[in-house]
Amino acid sequence: MNAEVIGGNESVLVVDDDPLVRSAVVAVLESHGYRVLDAASGEEALAFLEARGKAVDLLVVDIVLSGMNGRELARRAQSIHPTKVLYTSGHTAGVLECHGFDEDDKKLLRKAFTPRALCAKVRAMLDEPALVIAACG
Amino acid sequence: MVLGRNDAVVLSNPAAQRLGIPLDKLVAEVAPRRQEMREQGATTIEVARQDALGRTRRFALDCVMHDGLDVVTIRDVTDLRGLDAELRQLRRVDAVGNLAASVLHDFNNLMTPIVCSSALLERAVAEQPQAVGLAREIREAAERAAELLRRVLSFARRSSVGAARVSVAGSITELRSLLERVAGTGVKLSFELGDETDEAVLDREQLDHALLNLVANARDAMPSGGKLTLHTANLSINEDDASEDVPAQAYVAITISDTGVGMTAEVRERIFERFFTTKDEGRGTGLGLTNARRFANESGGFLTVHSEPNVGTTVVLYLPRAEPRAQSK
């Protein structure tokens, strides 16, 4: 990583059921200044968001989670507070398709990603006007 | 054919005579079981016999009693059984593909913390040059592994979309790192690719499979190393050079040549038989070259093989060249 990678100070909630992936993502984002929270499942993330009472700026969500999947989590999280969502996945295109994702989806980051790719994507999503996100669903 | 007493062939129709193996060889199979086949009515026995060319043919024999004679129906089921075996092979390939996809997912997850944490580590130990070097080595190796995974994934994920216009040289370039991996380190693989704008109408997935199989064959022909060349070029066959096998047309030709052990005339004779392989059990399926030829034929082209023992083998895929695109595009 070098100085070109831009960080931020927004709040990000990372949801991934693999603890190693989760802690790596948290570490990268924290080292770039973000206020990072994490959850191991959709259920845990929702409970957390309800208890928190205000929105996070970005959800970083693994698409295939045990229990509630990433899409479902995003839908329910957005019914609590409007939030931008970045999806991550290490699955092949076939599995992604089953979850309604095109592999070139702009809101999708394929694992294994580098810290640079993660930070670039997070920054790009946060900088996108909220209206556009809402319009695109 | 009709069998009389003493197991003599009383009568046989022209089809029975064209089977390519002497009927008395089949009679020898039926004779000891005539009684049993007749009594049980619907007993079919299946026998495998080699024909004059040494190829194994499979026959299904049924026997019914008619006017005191045994009427034996002979069906050549070689192709049918071949298809069964091919289907089983495809199912196995499919199962391995599914397994690979799930393993890839696990690896993608596992690579994420390695790629991310090594990058963070590199920054954290910035004051210690030796530690920075070590962390960078981990990061670079992890990034390369992740990149390799992505390439395997992009190969595995491409579902068959049927025939489309593709750049032949461009397709090979995209497949390059996988081809290099298949060729292995002992083989010097070189690419002599022609014009990227030369296109052919084909199924990209099948082209990839054909190339990977042909490169694997070349590698196996060079156990102690050698040189493998992938070459593409425009090739127009005019009316004078055309033959029944090679019609006059404009082609994009892909030539894969190795400096391996080559083939004897006997082996050369049989290479397009399904399931024929000279590789050890578990190494070869005997379908690679056959499928490559089928792919060429389905694309409107053809495949030729030239081989000389101890000199090497050259396989050429001739694919009909698509009409150049309009300049305005």
Side-chain angles (χ1 to χ4, degrees), chain A residues 8-116:
Chain A
N9 60 1
E10 288 93 337
S11 57
V12 182
L13 174 58
V14 177
V15 188
D16 197 305
D17 53 4
D18 186 321
L20 288 173
V21 174
R22 198 167 66 240
S23 62
V25 173
V26 169
V28 168
L29 293 177
E30 277 182 343
S31 76
H32 285 82
Y34 295 102
R35 286 170 290 132
V36 190
L37 309 150
D38 67 296
S41 70
E43 290 79 1
E44 192 183 319
L46 280 181
F48 173 81
L49 285 173
E50 272 170 4
R52 179 179 151 99
K54 59 173 183 169
V56 292
D57 296 306
L58 181 69
L59 274 170
V60 177
V61 181
D62 189 19
I63 293 172
V64 183
L65 292 164
S66 42
M68 184 190 309
N69 71 42
R71 247 287 194 237
E72 174 70 7
L73 165 61
R75 196 182 60 75
R76 291 172 59 173
Q78 279 166 335
S79 73
I80 304 173
H81 306 287
T83 311
K84 295 175 177 179
V85 183
L86 170 62
Y87 295 96
T88 62
S89 184
H91 277 287
T92 52
V95 176
L96 293 178
E97 220 167 84
C98 293
H99 287 265
F101 282 90
D102 179 16
E103 58 184 333
D104 300 321
D105 199 312
K106 272 199 269 179
K107 288 177 285 181
L108 175 63
L109 184 61
R110 308 282 294 270
K111 294 176 189 168
F113 43 74
T114 60
R116 174 190 290 273

Side-chain angles (χ1 to χ4, degrees), chain B residues 309-324:
Chain B
N310 302 318
V311 177
T313 302
T314 298
V315 178
V316 187
L317 270 164
Y318 293 86
L319 304 166
R321 179 146 45 98
E323 287 293 319

Side-chain angles (χ1 to χ4, degrees), chain B residues 55 57 78-79 82 86 210 213-214 217 245 263-278 285-297 301-307 313-318:
Chain B
R55 291 175 305 198
R57 313 285 309 167
T78 313
D79 291 342
E86 199 166 327
N213 274 324
L214 295 173
N217 283 351
D245 293 337
M263 293 177 227
T264 60
E266 292 76 42
V267 169
R268 172 70 190 77
E269 206 42 33
R270 301 187 58 192
I271 51 173
F272 291 122
E273 279 176 40
R274 280 189 304 217
F275 303 111
F276 174 74
T277 182
T278 55
T285 60
L287 287 172
L289 196 55
T290 330
N291 287 347
R293 184 170 74 161
R294 185 158 63 190
F295 154 70
N297 294 343
F302 54 96
L303 178 148
T304 61
V305 178
H306 297 282
S307 189
T313 302
T314 298
V315 178
V316 187
L317 270 164
Y318 293 86

Side-chain angles (χ1 to χ4, degrees), chain A residues 1 16 18 20-21 24-25 27-28 31-32 62 89-94 103 110-115 118, chain B residues 101 104-113 115-117 119-120 122-123 139 143 146 149-150 153 156-157:
Chain A
M1 264 175 315
D16 197 305
D18 186 321
L20 288 173
V21 174
V25 173
V28 168
S31 76
H32 285 82
D62 189 19
S89 184
H91 277 287
T92 52
E103 58 184 333
R110 308 282 294 270
K111 294 176 189 168
F113 43 74
T114 60
L118 172 63
Chain B
L104 276 175
H105 162 253
D106 291 349
F107 265 94
N108 282 330
N109 266 341
L110 291 169
M111 290 310 298
T112 307
V115 171
C116 288
S117 303
L120 293 179
E122 195 178 328
R123 239 168 44 151
R139 177 177 58 81
E143 284 177 3
L149 274 178
R150 250 190 297 279
L153 201 68
R157 77 171 180 221

Side-chain angles (χ1 to χ4, degrees), chain B residues 18-244:
Chain B
R18 281 198 307 268
L19 284 173
I21 70 164
L23 286 179
D24 51 348
K25 285 199 172 176
L26 294 178
V27 173
E29 291 290 334
V30 179
R33 301 179 62 186
R34 275 175 79 172
Q35 186 79 18
E36 172 199 349
M37 288 170 75
R38 207 187 298 132
E39 281 167 2
Q40 296 186 2
T43 306
T44 303
I45 63 171
E46 199 168 312
V47 299
R49 278 285 171 277
Q50 300 223 317
D51 66 11
L53 297 173
R55 291 175 305 198
T56 302
R57 313 285 309 167
R58 295 186 171 277
F59 301 100
L61 307 173
D62 292 287
C63 185
V64 285
M65 173 96 131
H66 188 78
D67 283 349
L69 297 167
D70 282 329
V71 179
V72 180
T73 321
I74 308 159
R75 282 176 296 140
D76 185 336
V77 292
T78 313
D79 291 342
L80 201 61
R81 295 293 172 266
L83 285 175
D84 282 351
E86 199 166 327
L87 190 62
R88 274 198 298 280
Q89 183 69 34
L90 282 175
R91 288 204 182 114
R92 193 154 66 211
V93 170
D94 203 37
V96 171
N98 287 337
L99 180 65
S102 87
V103 170
L104 276 175
H105 162 253
D106 291 349
F107 265 94
N108 282 330
N109 266 341
L110 291 169
M111 290 310 298
T112 307
I114 303 178
V115 171
C116 288
S117 303
S118 56
L120 293 179
L121 183 64
E122 195 178 328
R123 239 168 44 151
V125 296
E127 306 295 308
Q128 305 163 56
Q130 199 195 354
V132 168
L134 294 173
R136 181 175 303 141
E137 274 175 35
I138 299 174
R139 177 177 58 81
E140 286 175 357
E143 284 177 3
R144 266 172 55 195
E147 177 58 26
L148 177 63
L149 274 178
R150 250 190 297 279
R151 284 179 186 278
V152 174
L153 201 68
S154 82
F155 173 72
R157 77 171 180 221
R158 197 163 37 238
S159 52
S160 188
V161 289
R165 272 183 86 112
V166 300
S167 158
V168 172
S171 303
I172 295 177
T173 304
E174 277 182 37
L175 199 62
R176 185 172 178 142
S177 67
L178 278 189
L179 292 170
E180 280 168 348
R181 205 144 295 269
V182 169
T185 47
V187 171
K188 189 179 171 335
L189 177 60
S190 45
F191 292 84
E192 298 170 359
L193 302 181
D195 199 336
E196 288 237 345
T197 61
D198 290 334
E199 297 181 311
V201 176
L202 49 83
D203 184 329
R204 180 66 197 284
E205 188 193 10
Q206 287 196 48
L207 173 67
D208 288 356
H209 282 155
L211 291 171
L212 287 167
N213 274 324
L214 295 173
V215 166
N217 283 351
R219 171 205 62 203
D220 291 344
M222 300 185 284
S224 40
K227 194 170 172 329
L228 171 56
T229 310
L230 256 98
H231 174 93
T232 72
N234 269 335
L235 191 91
S236 291
I237 307 261
N238 59 30
E239 296 295 340
D240 294 340
D241 298 330
S243 67
E244 200 174 311

